[in-house]
Amino acid sequence: MTLLSVNGVTKRYGGLTAVDDVSFDIVAGELVGLIGPNGSGKTTLLNILSGLATADAGEILLADIPCQRLTPEQLAHRGVMRMFQLTRVFRRMNVIDNLLVAGRALGLDHGEALTRAHALISELRLDAVAALDAGQLSGGQMKLLEFGVCFMVPPRIALLDEPFAAVHPTMKEIMGAFIRARHAKGQTFILVSHDMPVVVELCPRAICMNAGAVVIDATTREVLNDARVIEAYLGGHAA
Amino acid sequence: MSAINVDLAVNGFITGLFYALMAIGLSLIFGILKIVNFAHGEFYMVGAYAYTLVALAFGVPVWVALPIAFLVGALVGWATERTLMRPLYAGYTSWGLMRDEYAVIVTFGLSLFLINLVDKVIGPYAYRGPPLVETSRVVLGPVLISGHRLLAAGIAIAVILITAALIKWSFWGQQIRAVSQNRLGASLAGIDTAKASAIVFMLSGGLAAFAGALLSPVINASPDVGIFPAVKSYIIVVLGGMGSVPGAIVASLLLGVIESFGAVYLSYQYRDAFGLILLMLFLLFRPQGLFGEKGREV
Amino acid sequence: MTQPATPAAGAQLTTTKTTVEFRAALVAMAIVALIPLGVGNPYWLGVLIVSMYFAILAGGWNLLAGYTGQFSLAPATFAMIGAYTTGLLGTYYNVPPLLGIVAAVVVSGLVGLLLGRAVLRLVGPYLALTTLSFAEIMRLVASNTIDITRGDLGLGVAGLPIGRLAWYYLFLAVLVVLLILFYLLLRSKAGLFLQAIRDDEVAARRAGVDVVFWKTAAFTLSAAASGLAGALYAHFAELVTPELGLIAQTGLILSMAVIGGMGTLAGPLVAAFLVYVLSEWLRDVGGYQLVVFAALVVIFARFFREGLWGLAKAAVRRWRQA
């Protein structure tokens, strides 16, 4: 069953076409890698999918319902969760409260939210820092906390923007395990990453973008061996 | 154009020149630190007192008192930057207060502090600064103007031009503009951003104090004399586009002229409200100011 | 591997923190309630009544600025709006004070709602400038519409047929009711949402928080509380002037919140009493009160960002460890 359907989505900034007629479908339970050189439009696409930017043209269907005009908070309620490349947490609130915000906002009662928060804290190995304000955590711990915030109420689709960038290897392992475990239980993901070994390891399917357009959408192995993809990364006209 | 309109235009333009002396500094501070200095009016007040007191109490000639006022303002600006602005560089000052809140509180507090300190130490009474020349009326065609005001306007033009040239062409002017555009990039390129901020505060303090000194024969030095010009300069930096120096100069002249006509043709009682209403409308509907282009958010 | 019984034991939830602060504030209010037993001097009772006026304003502003991160510079303006609402209704339509006070809450809340809606997208310096302009425009209107408001002369307002002691307990009752309301609000999920918005609006939206609703709600509530304080004060002083909306008044409110500790329930309330009573006392010994408080604001903002509440918490922690 198609969960997310992107049809002809286009976004222009002045003379620059950041996203150019992009179309693809994602089936429930898939873990799709979204790759491409810097400036190829991956983050802009995620911004559109998560409601932070509006497309100039095209249509986005979430379980057959159009959702390109919805705000980020409305999309959150419909099960679209976005993780940012530059980690965003509530810096002056402690780790548990950070998790409770998402839980309560998405309709859990206090007891249920607290139970889930504790479960996520031990799964993400944040026990030792649970009482600290998020602003006092290390970069990797903040990233783990953001994972937790996104999965307080498991979303229908999780959009992860470079979760592994500049993160300590141990943290990377915890995150990888977290994604694999969720995927095994049927969680749908789009994973934007520059880290090709991670994409190969985690994602059966990959979409490569360049200069705003989709270059190829196939199995990860095919994508990485495609001449156009190699061209995009090595010679690419996208700065 | 009838005689009264010429008179209104010329006087509005001259008022605009004094506004510009204030607004350039405020705009530079916004450019480099992305904050509004709510103590800017007190730089002006310090200048008005410095000029008036050294001239009256120590008999210093006005032409020496004027640069002294500039120096005192620069000193206060420098001290402000040194003691209070440094935490702003770090983004989050701590988990106690965030950057924007800190900036508002600390400059607002400084403003209250300076006003009340002067009120207690020097007293609440107004002191009239000595005019630069005693000629009370100069007639230029249809325009009647006092000799001091005419001379002060000339000096203001010279100072504005020198400042604009320094920002555009001098070594530190270029460094300041680089930091304003991109603090991180500038510091990576080896620019001493702390020094650039210090220079901006000295220049801002000096210019505002200079304006206070020039106007002290007309608007006498008193503890809260700076509030009025400060409010004008907030309006101007918003109209001109926050952080833009050329925008601030043009907006200053524009506001001076608009107010001059507005007071006669619209409503004298509400003359101070026009600019404030403009400020609100601009921030709500055109935050980039009159001339700026809407930036793309990255 | 041994896991503790509850992971993250010792982590204090924001709700727990709020409860501790609420209890401390209640203790402080209980002390305030006992003061008239020892102090009969009407002058000092009057000083404490004005302190309570400021405590309501500082508490309301703290909800908006300290918890939600919306740094408005117009709290005194909403008090002025509330005061003029009941004053004008009483003067021109013979509306009784009680009804006038209710109307003041509604009107200032509505103006707060509209302003809150308008400034929804503005942050930091932009929000500060917009609200500052709003404050000045309102004050200019009040002082220049002389035909209606009598301008700077002020508008006479009907008093209530009660003595000073009754006024004292009326203000205290209102303050305690507001304290309980704020506590119930902040202890609920709203407390989490407001603080989340303060820390990172985009992250709050991502997590599903209805940012538009909660920001507007905070603005409205804060304005309504200020309006209530202003209306009560109008009937107490039997006079309304544009001075109620002076920026210096906002400065005083801001100092109370900063010195007490922004984003804490107890800090600004307690600090309102300390600052105002101390300022009356300093007025008698040389009049340096405003110099001292302005300096304190700068020093607290620079070095003790969690205010007196933060200092008190640190002291308690040290005492327990010793």
Side-chain angles (χ1 to χ4, degrees):
Chain A
M1 182 202 117
T2 302
L3 177 65
L4 180 76
S5 180
V6 177
N7 299 319
V9 165
T10 299
K11 176 79 184 172
R12 289 181 205 90
Y13 289 109
L16 176 79
T17 306
V19 176
D20 188 2
D21 194 20
V22 166
S23 303
F24 57 81
D25 286 346
I26 288 177
V27 174
E30 270 195 296
L31 199 174
V32 180
L34 181 59
I35 63 170
N38 284 329
S40 58
K42 307 179 301 270
T43 295
T44 307
L45 182 62
L46 284 203
N47 281 347
I48 294 169
L49 292 179
S50 57
L52 286 168
T54 39
D56 297 321
E59 188 187 38
I60 301 160
L61 300 174
L62 184 67
D64 297 326
I65 298 164
C67 61
Q68 62 266 39
R69 293 270 161 235
L70 299 183
T71 61
E73 47 269 52
Q74 288 169 327
L75 283 165
H77 283 274
R78 294 192 186 195
V80 178
M81 262 299 162
R82 161 80 182 276
M83 237 180 95
F84 294 95
Q85 182 172 6
L86 290 172
T87 314
R88 283 180 177 270
V89 291
F90 308 117
R91 286 167 179 257
R92 287 196 279 173
M93 303 176 80
N94 68 34
V95 167
I96 299 183
D97 281 333
N98 263 271
L99 296 169
L100 290 183
V101 169
R104 298 303 303 274
L106 295 174
L108 303 182
D109 66 34
H110 179 72
E112 174 66 16
L114 204 57
T115 313
R116 288 200 199 178
H118 285 311
L120 277 166
I121 284 170
S122 62
E123 185 181 1
L124 293 165
R125 304 204 211 149
L126 291 169
D127 314 71
V129 294
L132 295 184
D133 282 352
Q136 293 168 288
L137 304 183
S138 74
Q141 289 169 330
M142 271 195 216
K143 201 97 229 176
L144 288 175
L145 175 58
E146 199 180 352
F147 260 104
V149 169
C150 291
F151 285 90
M152 269 301 279
V153 174
R156 286 157 96 182
I157 182 161
L159 313 171
L160 313 180
D161 196 355
E162 299 279 7
F164 305 107
V167 165
H168 188 274
T170 316
M171 301 284 176
K172 218 156 136 177
E173 231 167 78
I174 300 176
M175 285 181 207
F178 188 89
I179 294 174
R180 262 194 302 273
R182 299 281 154 154
H183 178 50
K185 286 187 207 153
Q187 171 70 48
T188 317
F189 289 92
I190 295 180
L191 170 65
V192 171
S193 185
H194 263 115
D195 193 334
M196 289 311 156
V198 169
V199 174
V200 173
E201 192 200 327
L202 288 175
C203 309
R205 171 185 162 197
I207 298 172
C208 178
M209 288 177 72
N210 190 27
V214 171
V215 176
I216 178 173
D217 175 357
T219 66
T220 303
R221 199 140 299 282
E222 277 174 74
V223 169
L224 290 189
N225 291 328
D226 191 274
R228 288 165 298 173
V229 174
I230 296 163
E231 160 81 7
Y233 270 91
L234 296 179
H237 30 267
Chain B
M1 204 157 33
S2 69
I4 176 144
N5 287 344
V6 174
D7 187 76
L8 287 175
V10 170
N11 272 300
F13 180 81
I14 292 176
T15 307
L17 289 171
F18 300 129
Y19 287 168
L21 285 178
M22 284 292 286
I24 290 172
L26 195 70
S27 186
L28 281 172
I29 291 176
F30 183 85
I32 204 155
L33 284 178
K34 307 292 177 263
I35 63 158
V36 172
N37 173 25
F38 284 101
H40 204 61
E42 283 53 59
F43 292 172
Y44 173 101
M45 181 266 288
V46 163
Y49 271 104
Y51 171 81
T52 306
L53 293 183
V54 295
L56 293 183
F58 304 110
V60 173
V62 289
W63 295 105
V64 181
L66 216 46
I68 288 179
F70 184 96
L71 289 178
V72 173
L75 189 70
V76 175
W78 175 80
T80 304
E81 204 277 343
R82 259 306 152 101
T83 53
L84 300 177
M85 296 299 131
R86 292 291 153 107
L88 289 173
Y89 298 23
Y92 274 82
T93 53
S94 83
W95 28 93
L97 276 177
M98 278 180 287
R99 192 176 189 285
D100 290 338
E101 304 175 4
Y102 174 78
V104 176
I105 292 173
V106 94
T107 58
F108 208 87
L110 179 67
S111 159
L112 287 176
F113 175 71
L114 289 174
I115 291 174
N116 290 295
L117 186 69
V118 169
D119 185 84
K120 291 314 294 181
V121 174
I122 302 177
Y125 317 105
Y127 289 85
R128 179 169 182 265
L132 295 170
V133 287
E134 292 293 348
T135 324
S136 59
R137 282 283 177 272
V138 180
V139 182
L140 298 169
V143 183
L144 254 181
I145 199 169
S146 79
H148 171 82
R149 194 168 156 86
L150 189 64
L151 199 55
I155 296 171
I157 291 178
V159 171
I160 292 167
L161 289 178
I162 292 170
T163 309
L166 281 177
I167 295 166
K168 184 111 180 108
W169 289 299
S170 77
F171 172 73
W172 275 106
Q174 287 170 346
Q175 308 249 317
I176 286 165
R177 283 190 292 140
V179 180
S180 301
Q181 273 171 26
N182 186 339
R183 170 169 287 273
L184 183 65
S187 72
L188 290 176
I191 294 175
D192 185 344
T193 56
K195 198 165 174 188
S197 303
I199 290 174
V200 161
F201 266 82
M202 287 170 74
L203 186 62
S204 304
L207 286 174
F210 199 76
L214 278 181
L215 286 179
S216 63
V218 188
I219 306 169
N220 302 339
S222 68
D224 57 0
V225 70
I227 293 176
F228 181 75
V231 170
K232 298 297 172 195
S233 50
Y234 304 148
I235 297 167
I236 288 159
V237 293
V238 170
L239 295 189
M242 308 265 285
S244 155
V245 171
I249 296 173
V250 177
S252 300
L253 301 175
L254 215 58
L255 185 69
V257 174
I258 290 175
E259 284 184 340
S260 173
F261 280 94
V264 171
Y265 290 109
L266 287 173
S267 157
Y268 184 76
Q269 283 173 335
Y270 291 102
R271 66 192 182 287
D272 293 334
F274 303 140
L276 292 167
I277 292 169
L278 276 181
L279 183 153
M280 279 190 81
L281 291 176
F282 264 78
L283 279 182
L284 291 175
F285 301 109
R286 202 180 154 81
Q288 70 273 34
L290 279 170
F291 316 106
E293 280 176 34
K294 200 164 187 169
R296 174 160 76 96
E297 272 181 54
V298 182
Chain C
M1 205 166 78
T2 51
Q3 285 273 337
T6 50
Q12 212 184 27
L13 296 177
T14 198
T15 49
T16 325
K17 264 188 280 189
T18 311
T19 303
V20 173
E21 291 165 13
F22 175 64
R23 288 191 184 140
L26 277 187
V27 171
M29 293 308 112
I31 294 170
V32 173
L34 294 177
I35 289 176
L37 297 181
V39 178
N41 182 336
Y43 169 74
W44 282 106
L45 284 184
V47 167
L48 285 165
I49 289 174
V50 180
S51 306
M52 289 190 255
Y53 164 71
F54 277 113
I56 298 173
L57 291 178
W61 186 73
N62 180 44
L63 181 74
L64 184 63
Y67 282 96
T68 324
Q70 297 189 92
F71 227 82
S72 160
L73 292 181
T77 308
F78 287 105
M80 184 188 81
I81 291 173
Y84 272 106
T85 304
T86 182
L88 293 171
L89 284 175
T91 307
Y92 294 104
Y93 301 102
N94 288 320
V95 174
L98 204 63
L99 213 59
I101 291 171
V102 174
V105 174
V106 173
V107 169
S108 50
L110 273 177
V111 177
L113 176 82
L114 292 176
L115 184 65
R117 274 274 158 171
V119 300
L120 213 51
R121 288 168 165 279
L122 300 178
V123 293
Y126 301 95
L127 178 65
L129 279 181
T130 310
T131 49
L132 183 75
S133 304
F134 171 78
E136 277 299 285
I137 292 169
M138 285 295 147
R139 193 179 62 78
L140 284 168
V141 168
S143 98
N144 283 313
T145 347
I146 296 167
D147 303 344
I148 301 169
T149 62
R150 293 173 23 103
D152 293 339
L153 284 174
L155 189 69
V157 179
L160 294 186
I162 57 175
R164 187 146 284 206
L165 199 63
W167 267 114
Y168 187 93
Y169 285 107
L170 177 61
F171 264 96
L172 184 62
V174 171
L175 183 57
V176 170
V177 167
L178 279 177
L179 175 66
I180 293 171
L181 263 175
F182 286 171
Y183 168 62
L184 292 177
L185 180 80
L186 292 170
R187 203 190 55 171
S188 75
K189 61 185 180 179
L192 286 168
F193 296 166
L194 296 182
Q195 292 177 74
I197 291 169
R198 173 194 67 194
D199 281 6
D200 189 332
E201 213 175 300
V202 174
R205 302 181 76 185
R206 177 267 307 277
V209 176
D210 189 342
V211 170
V212 171
F213 175 81
W214 289 108
K215 278 178 89 169
T216 319
F219 227 108
T220 309
L221 263 176
S222 166
S226 301
L228 172 60
L232 279 175
Y233 183 79
H235 290 291
F236 169 68
E238 301 183 10
L239 181 75
V240 196
T241 65
E243 274 183 35
L244 284 178
L246 276 179
I247 294 302
Q249 297 277 310
T250 290
L252 207 52
I253 296 164
L254 190 143
S255 5
M256 289 161 179
V258 171
I259 291 172
M262 286 178 61
T264 69
L265 199 52
L269 292 188
V270 176
F273 286 91
L274 292 179
V275 167
Y276 197 76
V277 171
L278 208 64
S279 86
E280 281 304 303
W281 179 71
L282 280 173
R283 198 198 297 273
D284 294 342
V285 293
Y288 276 86
Q289 69 275 13
L290 287 169
V291 183
V292 172
F293 291 122
L296 279 180
V297 167
V298 174
I299 291 167
F300 269 91
R302 180 79 173 80
F303 299 108
F304 311 104
R305 285 167 195 137
E306 291 178 338
L308 287 175
W309 178 257
L311 290 179
K313 245 182 9 185
V316 169
R317 212 176 299 134
R318 221 168 304 129
W319 178 70
R320 276 193 184 150
Q321 276 165 1

